[in-house]
Amino acid sequence: MRVAAKSEANAINAIQSYYSVCQNVNTTEISINDKEPSLDGKISIHDLGSDRQYTKENKICDIAVQVKGRSGGLSKRNTFAISYRDILYFWKHTEGVIYFCVSLKKKQPEIYYAKLTPIILQSLIKQKNKNAKSKAIVFDSVPEDPTEFTSVLLDFNTQCQKQPKSLLALSKPDISNVKLFTSINAKPEHRFSILKSGITLYRQITDQLTGEPISVPYDFGRVVDVFNISKGTITTSDNLTSTAALSVSKTTNDQQLIMGSHDNISFKEIRDTDALTSSVTLNFTPHGNYRERLDDVNFLLSMLTDLESIKEIDLQESKKYKNDLNKQIEYLTGIIRDLSGLGIKIDFDPDNLAVEETKTLNDLLDVLHEKLVPKPDFQRIHLKLFDDRYAFIVYKQTIMNLFSTAFLDKYCLMENDDDAHTRLNPFTYLRKALFKYPGFSNELVLSGFEKMDITSANTANYYVGYVLNLIQNFDDSQDDKFLELGLEILNMVKPSVDPGIITIDICQILMRQNKDIGINNISRLLEATNSTNQEIQISAFILLNQKKEVINIWENLDIEEKNKILSWPIVTLSPVTLEI
């Protein structure tokens, strides 16, 4: 027998010996005399049950195999070169191949395998250089338990059946943000062998005819490691608590304890295999909002104090680390105090701020601490932090939030009225996107009306305009508080405003609240339809749902009047589309 043939025969014997204890796996059809080129037969897996014979009826699947015997071992990375002649044959004539490479270097043969699914074969062919004759492939050693390897083969067969060439043609479209998934059907204790030997990732499309989902092979990869994770909580002697997860590596058995509000505190075991010793390293990176960061630092500081009772702890290193943590506590406490004093919420992660947001916030804090002198002395500053909005008055080194009680005490809003100066509610200065201002509240705005004169017609109409802005804020946010505030203000200014305007605004608020406007209001709306003011007329007809009348008045308005009405929130209630 030739040396190569003898090596292959010994390799096949090793595989058959490996599977000798598994009655449901038939390896007798692997042969060096197999007539198919590039293949050495197949492994068949059966569901024997009470049967003792292999039959077509109890066969689950056939797995095509190729076997190579080597007198030496594999490379350090467990790679072995497969000829492109074989790869092309596998692609054209099989639905996937398990490629065995058996090292006969030691007395006990070492069996390695590679899963060549259709998507992997397709990828190898696409990677082929013009003059390349072979391709180095990474192989995995078979598990000690052959039943575990049977799970690998069964999953391999399942993946191959899901990868017909018609679907592989759709494997990698030129699109981004693809949601990928994989699936494994095996016993929990067998899943790691499947994962580390390679998985196929799929994306999902919908059949345009049936509406049924279709799994399309997208790519393949290897899972480097799998971890067993136990979750719980840890409480220090200071009664500070954090969620905790103990992670144990499946491959190295290294352990890692993960804690913190964003899993940002970790104690990791580092093993020195030569010295048979291990050490623990601490990693902490602040994440999350300022409160979460402060809680994490306080917890870690308390935990380090508790750990100092362990003999092996490096007290000098621990002291240095604790000094750094105390500095962070001082800094974070100051930041929280400053932001709270400015009326700024602390529920944001500063790492995620935009560049301009960070600059504006830092400038404000520098002014607060007299590190920056604002020029000019008096400024209005608008700050955006993600979706939240803030407005400040800055005068020299004093900063005042426009939605704060302190602002009411320090500043006033004046209206020029025929050479007379009327004091206005300062909280009505800001009107747009009020739902984005955390400091806005109905109670705060109503407090601004105390000791305010609202009897003059001009002043009352000013507040009616503010109510229209409140209604628009409701339309943008669907927050009922804007409608409730609008009703309260309308009832305050009612004596000084045209009754038709009051009725229209009250009715459009009630309609948005899905409430019945009542007979009395309907009667007042009918009276308003006789107004000489066409703006009041069309508004009344809109609320009465009179399409024809709305259209007639709209067509008689000039461009300026139409633009004015289109800026009002009542347009959204119109029974017909109003446009220029």
Side-chain angles (χ1 to χ4, degrees):
M1 182 182 290
R2 290 180 295 109
V3 174
K6 184 177 180 180
S7 294
E8 189 170 332
N10 289 337
I12 292 173
N13 288 335
I15 295 169
Q16 292 173 337
S17 175
Y18 170 75
Y19 256 127
S20 62
V21 296
C22 292
Q23 298 299 318
N24 65 321
V25 179
N26 181 13
T27 60
T28 61
E29 295 181 84
I30 307 177
S31 172
I32 60 172
N33 296 317
D34 193 276
K35 294 180 181 180
E36 285 192 77
S38 302
L39 288 176
D40 292 312
K42 61 187 177 181
I43 292 175
S44 58
I45 303 173
H46 297 256
D47 183 8
L48 291 179
S50 59
D51 296 338
R52 292 184 177 274
Q53 299 294 325
Y54 299 128
T55 65
K56 290 182 179 180
E57 287 72 22
N58 60 33
K59 182 186 289 187
I60 297 174
C61 64
D62 288 326
I63 308 289
V65 299
Q66 172 71 307
V67 181
K68 290 292 181 183
R70 286 177 58 83
S71 57
L74 273 67
S75 70
K76 289 183 178 180
R77 295 181 58 248
N78 283 355
T79 60
F80 178 74
I82 301 177
S83 73
Y84 266 111
R85 183 184 63 185
D86 286 345
I87 291 171
L88 288 168
Y89 183 88
F90 299 155
W91 169 250
K92 291 178 181 179
H93 301 289
T94 75
E95 294 179 345
V97 173
I98 292 291
Y99 201 111
F100 288 104
C101 185
V102 181
S103 172
L104 304 169
K105 183 178 181 180
K106 299 178 181 178
K107 185 175 181 180
Q108 180 66 36
E110 295 175 338
I111 305 173
Y112 299 88
Y113 72 99
K115 300 190 299 189
L116 301 180
T117 57
I119 193 170
I120 291 177
L121 293 170
Q122 180 190 56
S123 176
L124 292 174
I125 293 169
K126 287 181 177 179
Q127 294 172 20
K128 183 181 183 299
N129 295 326
K130 185 177 180 180
N131 298 320
K133 296 185 181 298
S134 63
K135 178 68 177 178
I137 305 294
V138 176
F139 280 68
D140 293 277
S141 58
V142 295
E144 289 185 15
D145 181 1
T147 62
E148 186 173 343
F149 188 55
T150 302
S151 292
V152 173
L153 294 180
L154 287 171
D155 179 76
F156 170 79
N157 178 69
T158 300
Q159 302 305 325
C160 290
Q161 298 305 311
K162 293 163 67 174
Q163 299 175 24
K165 290 184 172 64
S166 57
L167 287 181
L168 288 175
L170 306 172
S171 61
K172 275 198 172 183
D174 186 18
I175 55 178
S176 58
N177 299 322
V178 181
K179 291 184 178 181
L180 303 176
F181 65 93
T182 191
S183 60
I184 296 172
N185 185 17
K187 294 178 180 180
E189 60 269 27
H190 294 170
R191 290 172 187 167
F192 182 57
S193 289
I194 296 172
L195 290 170
K196 74 183 183 72
S197 62
I199 59 171
T200 301
L201 298 171
Y202 297 87
R203 66 185 180 94
Q204 195 170 88
I205 63 174
T206 302
D207 189 303
Q208 294 182 351
L209 295 177
T210 65
E212 294 295 317
I214 300 174
S215 297
V216 178
Y218 183 82
D219 208 342
F220 56 90
R222 286 173 171 266
V223 174
V224 176
D225 204 349
V226 173
F227 301 88
N228 291 322
I229 298 177
S230 304
K231 293 186 177 181
T233 58
I234 291 179
T235 303
T236 69
S237 59
D238 294 323
N239 208 31
L240 300 179
T241 301
S242 173
T243 58
L246 179 62
S247 169
V248 182
S249 166
K250 182 84 171 177
T251 55
T252 65
N253 211 35
D254 287 347
Q255 300 182 69
Q256 185 174 13
L257 181 61
I258 302 170
M259 299 164 291
S261 57
H262 292 268
D263 298 335
N264 49 327
I265 302 172
S266 71
F267 288 87
K268 187 174 183 179
E269 179 185 31
I270 305 297
R271 293 174 179 268
D272 186 338
T273 53
D274 295 331
L276 299 178
T277 60
S278 65
S279 60
V280 176
T281 61
L282 166 61
N283 288 295
F284 169 57
T285 304
H287 284 306
N289 63 50
Y290 287 113
R291 174 58 62 190
E292 290 171 330
R293 292 172 183 234
L294 182 59
D295 288 345
D296 286 342
V297 174
N298 278 319
F299 171 80
L300 183 54
L301 182 62
S302 179
M303 188 174 185
L304 284 177
T305 302
D306 291 345
L307 291 174
E308 286 180 350
S309 61
I310 301 174
K311 291 182 180 180
E312 290 80 4
I313 197 80
D314 187 334
L315 292 177
Q316 188 173 355
E317 194 67 25
S318 176
K319 184 179 179 180
K320 180 182 176 183
Y321 208 104
K322 286 169 66 176
N323 286 337
D324 292 339
L325 291 176
N326 279 314
K327 291 178 182 177
Q328 286 198 46
I329 290 173
E330 183 180 354
Y331 166 74
L332 291 168
T333 302
I335 283 283
I336 291 172
R337 181 183 61 247
D338 291 343
L339 295 180
S340 299
L342 292 172
I344 298 175
K345 293 195 304 183
I346 61 170
D347 64 348
F348 64 91
D349 186 339
D351 292 341
N352 295 331
L353 290 175
V355 174
E356 190 60 34
E357 293 172 341
T358 301
K359 182 181 184 306
T360 305
L361 179 60
N362 287 337
D363 286 349
L364 273 177
L365 295 175
D366 285 345
V367 170
L368 188 67
H369 291 281
E370 300 184 357
K371 295 179 181 178
L372 178 67
V373 178
K375 292 182 180 181
D377 288 347
F378 184 86
Q379 296 182 45
R380 285 192 295 269
I381 303 294
H382 291 272
L383 173 65
K384 172 183 172 293
L385 297 178
F386 301 106
D387 290 332
D388 291 334
R389 302 289 184 272
Y390 299 91
F392 301 94
I393 293 291
V394 177
Y395 179 64
K396 295 185 177 179
Q397 304 301 137
T398 303
I399 304 174
M400 200 73 64
N401 191 320
L402 265 64
F403 285 119
S404 66
T405 54
F407 178 66
L408 181 63
D409 296 333
K410 297 288 184 180
Y411 293 93
C412 63
L413 184 63
M414 306 296 293
E415 178 188 41
N416 291 326
D417 183 10
D418 298 330
D419 298 326
H421 297 288
T422 303
R423 189 176 179 184
L424 300 173
N425 184 339
F427 298 129
T428 61
Y429 170 72
L430 289 176
R431 302 188 172 200
K432 293 182 179 180
L434 294 173
F435 53 91
K436 293 187 176 182
Y437 287 83
F440 178 91
S441 72
N442 289 7
E443 295 76 16
L444 185 68
V445 175
L446 289 173
S447 70
F449 282 104
E450 293 179 11
K451 299 179 182 179
M452 293 286 175
D453 180 8
I454 57 175
T455 57
S456 75
N458 281 351
T459 302
N461 283 322
Y462 166 85
Y463 290 123
V464 169
Y466 179 69
V467 170
L468 294 181
N469 290 117
L470 292 176
I471 295 172
Q472 186 61 57
N473 273 275
F474 167 79
D475 288 347
D476 293 337
S477 69
Q478 297 301 300
D479 191 335
D480 287 330
K481 71 181 179 186
F482 295 111
L483 300 181
E484 294 163 3
L485 179 60
L487 283 176
E488 290 202 53
I489 294 174
L490 288 174
N491 286 324
M492 285 192 293
V493 302
K494 186 187 298 183
S496 305
V497 180
D498 185 309
I501 293 176
I502 291 292
T503 299
I504 287 167
D505 289 343
I506 288 177
C507 287
Q508 66 168 318
I509 288 176
L510 293 175
M511 286 183 173
R512 283 174 167 83
Q513 292 177 325
N514 295 317
K515 294 180 180 179
D516 186 3
I517 63 175
I519 295 296
N520 290 336
N521 279 325
I522 291 176
S523 177
R524 295 188 187 104
L525 287 175
L526 289 171
E527 291 178 15
T529 61
N530 295 318
S531 173
T532 56
N533 185 326
Q534 286 188 308
E535 295 168 358
I536 293 177
Q537 263 191 323
I538 193 171
S539 297
F541 280 125
I542 286 173
L543 296 172
L544 291 169
N545 201 34
Q546 300 298 304
K547 297 181 182 180
K548 183 178 178 182
E549 287 76 6
V550 170
I551 293 172
N552 288 337
I553 295 175
W554 183 255
E555 290 177 348
N556 290 321
L557 297 175
D558 59 34
I559 294 295
E560 186 177 343
E561 290 170 327
K562 287 181 178 180
N563 280 324
K564 183 178 181 182
I565 292 173
L566 287 174
S567 69
W568 293 346
I570 198 167
V571 171
T572 62
L573 301 177
S574 176
V576 295
T577 302
L578 300 178
E579 56 187 7
I580 298 176

Short mmCIF file of all heavy atoms in Angstrom, two decimals, residues 144-168:
data_model
loop_
_atom_site.label_atom_id
_atom_site.label_comp_id
_atom_site.label_asym_id
_atom_site.label_seq_id
_atom_site.Cartn_x
_atom_site.Cartn_y
_atom_site.Cartn_z
N GLU A 144 -14.22 15.59 22.76
CA GLU A 144 -13.94 14.27 23.34
C GLU A 144 -15.16 13.37 23.25
O GLU A 144 -15.05 12.17 23.02
CB GLU A 144 -13.50 14.43 24.80
CG GLU A 144 -12.13 15.03 24.97
CD GLU A 144 -11.71 15.05 26.43
OE1 GLU A 144 -12.35 14.35 27.24
OE2 GLU A 144 -10.75 15.77 26.76
N ASP A 145 -16.32 13.94 23.45
CA ASP A 145 -17.57 13.18 23.42
C ASP A 145 -18.10 13.13 21.98
O ASP A 145 -18.48 14.17 21.43
CB ASP A 145 -18.60 13.85 24.35
CG ASP A 145 -19.92 13.08 24.39
OD1 ASP A 145 -20.04 12.03 23.73
OD2 ASP A 145 -20.84 13.56 25.09
N PRO A 146 -18.14 11.97 21.34
CA PRO A 146 -18.61 11.89 19.96
C PRO A 146 -20.08 12.28 19.81
O PRO A 146 -20.49 12.71 18.72
CB PRO A 146 -18.38 10.42 19.57
CG PRO A 146 -18.21 9.69 20.85
CD PRO A 146 -17.65 10.66 21.83
N THR A 147 -20.89 12.15 20.88
CA THR A 147 -22.30 12.59 20.77
C THR A 147 -22.37 14.10 20.61
O THR A 147 -23.29 14.63 19.98
CB THR A 147 -23.10 12.14 22.00
OG1 THR A 147 -22.56 12.76 23.18
CG2 THR A 147 -23.10 10.64 22.16
N GLU A 148 -21.39 14.80 21.18
CA GLU A 148 -21.33 16.25 21.02
C GLU A 148 -21.00 16.60 19.57
O GLU A 148 -21.57 17.53 19.00
CB GLU A 148 -20.28 16.83 21.97
CG GLU A 148 -20.23 18.34 21.99
CD GLU A 148 -19.30 18.88 23.06
OE1 GLU A 148 -18.96 18.12 24.00
OE2 GLU A 148 -18.92 20.07 22.97
N PHE A 149 -20.09 15.83 18.97
CA PHE A 149 -19.76 16.08 17.57
C PHE A 149 -20.94 15.74 16.66
O PHE A 149 -21.11 16.36 15.61
CB PHE A 149 -18.53 15.27 17.17
CG PHE A 149 -18.01 15.61 15.79
CD1 PHE A 149 -17.67 16.90 15.45
CD2 PHE A 149 -17.87 14.61 14.83
CE1 PHE A 149 -17.21 17.22 14.19
CE2 PHE A 149 -17.40 14.92 13.56
CZ PHE A 149 -17.07 16.22 13.24
N THR A 150 -21.74 14.76 17.06
CA THR A 150 -22.95 14.45 16.29
C THR A 150 -23.87 15.66 16.23
O THR A 150 -24.48 15.95 15.20
CB THR A 150 -23.69 13.25 16.89
OG1 THR A 150 -22.80 12.12 16.93
CG2 THR A 150 -24.92 12.88 16.08
N SER A 151 -23.97 16.40 17.35
CA SER A 151 -24.77 17.64 17.36
C SER A 151 -24.20 18.66 16.38
O SER A 151 -24.94 19.37 15.69
CB SER A 151 -24.82 18.24 18.77
OG SER A 151 -25.55 17.43 19.65
N VAL A 152 -22.86 18.72 16.30
CA VAL A 152 -22.21 19.62 15.34
C VAL A 152 -22.58 19.23 13.91
O VAL A 152 -22.91 20.08 13.08
CB VAL A 152 -20.67 19.58 15.51
CG1 VAL A 152 -19.98 20.39 14.41
CG2 VAL A 152 -20.28 20.11 16.89
N LEU A 153 -22.57 17.92 13.62
CA LEU A 153 -22.90 17.44 12.27
C LEU A 153 -24.37 17.69 11.93
O LEU A 153 -24.69 18.08 10.80
CB LEU A 153 -22.59 15.95 12.17
CG LEU A 153 -21.12 15.54 12.27
CD1 LEU A 153 -20.98 14.03 12.14
CD2 LEU A 153 -20.27 16.26 11.24
N LEU A 154 -25.25 17.48 12.90
CA LEU A 154 -26.68 17.71 12.65
C LEU A 154 -26.94 19.19 12.37
O LEU A 154 -27.72 19.54 11.47
CB LEU A 154 -27.51 17.24 13.83
CG LEU A 154 -27.64 15.71 13.99
CD1 LEU A 154 -28.29 15.38 15.33
CD2 LEU A 154 -28.46 15.13 12.84
N ASP A 155 -26.29 20.07 13.13
CA ASP A 155 -26.45 21.50 12.88
C ASP A 155 -25.85 21.87 11.53
O ASP A 155 -26.41 22.69 10.79
CB ASP A 155 -25.78 22.32 13.99
CG ASP A 155 -25.91 23.81 13.75
OD1 ASP A 155 -27.01 24.35 13.98
OD2 ASP A 155 -24.92 24.44 13.32
N PHE A 156 -24.71 21.28 11.20
CA PHE A 156 -24.09 21.52 9.89
C PHE A 156 -25.05 21.15 8.77
O PHE A 156 -25.22 21.91 7.80
CB PHE A 156 -22.81 20.69 9.79
CG PHE A 156 -22.21 20.65 8.41
CD1 PHE A 156 -21.46 21.70 7.93
CD2 PHE A 156 -22.39 19.54 7.58
CE1 PHE A 156 -20.90 21.66 6.65
CE2 PHE A 156 -21.84 19.49 6.31
CZ PHE A 156 -21.10 20.56 5.85
N ASN A 157 -25.70 20.01 8.89
CA ASN A 157 -26.65 19.59 7.87
C ASN A 157 -27.81 20.57 7.76
O ASN A 157 -28.24 20.93 6.65
CB ASN A 157 -27.19 18.19 8.20
CG ASN A 157 -28.23 17.71 7.20
OD1 ASN A 157 -27.93 17.44 6.05
ND2 ASN A 157 -29.48 17.65 7.65
N THR A 158 -28.31 21.04 8.91
CA THR A 158 -29.41 22.02 8.91
C THR A 158 -29.00 23.29 8.19
O THR A 158 -29.76 23.84 7.38
CB THR A 158 -29.84 22.34 10.35
OG1 THR A 158 -30.28 21.14 10.99
CG2 THR A 158 -30.96 23.37 10.37
N GLN A 159 -27.79 23.80 8.50
CA GLN A 159 -27.33 25.04 7.87
C GLN A 159 -27.16 24.86 6.37
O GLN A 159 -27.49 25.76 5.58
CB GLN A 159 -26.01 25.48 8.51
CG GLN A 159 -26.04 25.72 10.01
CD GLN A 159 -27.11 26.69 10.45
OE1 GLN A 159 -27.42 27.66 9.75
NE2 GLN A 159 -27.72 26.44 11.60
N CYS A 160 -26.65 23.70 5.95
CA CYS A 160 -26.46 23.46 4.51
C CYS A 160 -27.79 23.45 3.77
O CYS A 160 -27.89 23.95 2.64
CB CYS A 160 -25.72 22.13 4.29
SG CYS A 160 -23.99 22.15 4.79
N GLN A 161 -28.83 22.87 4.39
CA GLN A 161 -30.14 22.83 3.76
C GLN A 161 -30.74 24.22 3.60
O GLN A 161 -31.56 24.46 2.71
CB GLN A 161 -31.10 21.95 4.59
CG GLN A 161 -30.68 20.49 4.72
CD GLN A 161 -30.45 19.84 3.37
OE1 GLN A 161 -31.28 19.94 2.47
NE2 GLN A 161 -29.31 19.15 3.23
N LYS A 162 -30.30 25.15 4.45
CA LYS A 162 -30.82 26.53 4.40
C LYS A 162 -30.01 27.42 3.46
O LYS A 162 -30.24 28.62 3.40
CB LYS A 162 -30.80 27.14 5.82
CG LYS A 162 -31.79 26.47 6.77
CD LYS A 162 -31.49 26.78 8.22
CE LYS A 162 -31.71 28.21 8.58
NZ LYS A 162 -31.54 28.45 10.04
N GLN A 163 -29.06 26.81 2.71
CA GLN A 163 -28.18 27.61 1.86
C GLN A 163 -28.17 27.14 0.40
O GLN A 163 -27.11 26.88 -0.17
CB GLN A 163 -26.75 27.58 2.43
CG GLN A 163 -26.63 28.15 3.83
CD GLN A 163 -25.24 28.00 4.41
OE1 GLN A 163 -24.25 27.89 3.67
NE2 GLN A 163 -25.14 28.02 5.73
N PRO A 164 -29.33 27.05 -0.22
CA PRO A 164 -29.33 26.70 -1.65
C PRO A 164 -28.70 27.83 -2.45
O PRO A 164 -28.68 29.00 -2.03
CB PRO A 164 -30.82 26.56 -1.97
CG PRO A 164 -31.52 27.41 -0.96
CD PRO A 164 -30.71 27.28 0.30
N LYS A 165 -28.17 27.50 -3.61
CA LYS A 165 -27.47 28.51 -4.43
C LYS A 165 -28.37 29.67 -4.82
O LYS A 165 -27.90 30.80 -5.00
CB LYS A 165 -26.88 27.85 -5.67
CG LYS A 165 -25.70 26.91 -5.37
CD LYS A 165 -25.10 26.36 -6.64
CE LYS A 165 -23.82 25.58 -6.39
NZ LYS A 165 -24.03 24.36 -5.57
N SER A 166 -29.69 29.41 -4.94
CA SER A 166 -30.61 30.49 -5.30
C SER A 166 -30.65 31.58 -4.23
O SER A 166 -30.79 32.77 -4.54
CB SER A 166 -32.02 29.93 -5.50
OG SER A 166 -32.47 29.26 -4.32
N LEU A 167 -30.51 31.18 -2.95
CA LEU A 167 -30.48 32.17 -1.87
C LEU A 167 -29.10 32.79 -1.70
O LEU A 167 -28.97 33.95 -1.32
CB LEU A 167 -30.94 31.54 -0.56
CG LEU A 167 -32.43 31.24 -0.41
CD1 LEU A 167 -32.73 30.64 0.96
CD2 LEU A 167 -33.27 32.51 -0.61
N LEU A 168 -28.06 32.01 -1.98
CA LEU A 168 -26.71 32.54 -1.85
C LEU A 168 -26.46 33.69 -2.83
O LEU A 168 -25.63 34.56 -2.58
CB LEU A 168 -25.68 31.44 -2.08
CG LEU A 168 -25.56 30.41 -0.95
CD1 LEU A 168 -24.59 29.32 -1.35
CD2 LEU A 168 -25.12 31.07 0.35
#
